[in-house]
Amino acid sequence: MSIYAIADLHLSFETEKPMDIFGTNWTNHEEKIKQNWQEKVKEQDTVLLPGDFSWAMDLKEIKKDFEYLNNLPRKKNNAKRKS
């Protein structure tokens, strides 16, 4: 079993905030995340998602970003801050 962590995905399926403005290595970064995830994360693994999933500023803009994450295979765990 392995535990992976990935953060700062800054998805933008419903917002105009393309990541490739930061350089060509960011072109199609959503597809690169998906491909690497499918190649590396195995059935028994867990992926921690600490935050910064999306550029969205409200709930109606974040739906597709969360659907994308939900459709990635394997067990995922959101880090929750304790007060």
Side-chain angles (χ1 to χ4, degrees):
M1 178 187 123
S2 295
I3 298 174
Y4 294 93
I6 186 169
D8 298 305
L9 299 174
H10 298 292
L11 300 170
S12 60
F13 290 108
E14 290 289 325
T15 58
E16 284 296 319
K17 195 88 172 194
M19 291 295 287
D20 59 3
I21 64 170
F22 300 110
T24 57
N25 59 319
W26 288 98
T27 302
N28 297 320
H29 87 286
E30 297 95 345
E31 188 57 39
K32 292 175 186 176
I33 292 167
K34 182 178 177 180
Q35 182 178 358
N36 283 320
W37 187 299
Q38 291 173 330
E39 289 173 5
K40 292 178 174 48
V41 182
K42 306 298 180 223
E43 183 70 34
Q44 67 278 11
D45 298 340
T46 296
V47 180
L48 304 176
L49 297 163
D52 276 346
F53 309 122
S54 175
W55 283 111
M57 298 301 287
D58 61 49
L59 289 176
K60 67 182 175 200
E61 292 177 342
I62 203 168
K63 185 177 185 217
K64 286 189 179 181
D65 298 338
F66 278 157
E67 285 175 351
Y68 168 87
L69 291 172
N70 189 52
N71 288 327
L72 293 172
R74 313 298 179 245
K75 182 179 177 182
K76 297 163 220 74
N77 203 346
N78 292 339
K80 294 182 182 176
R81 186 185 328 182
K82 293 184 178 184
S83 313

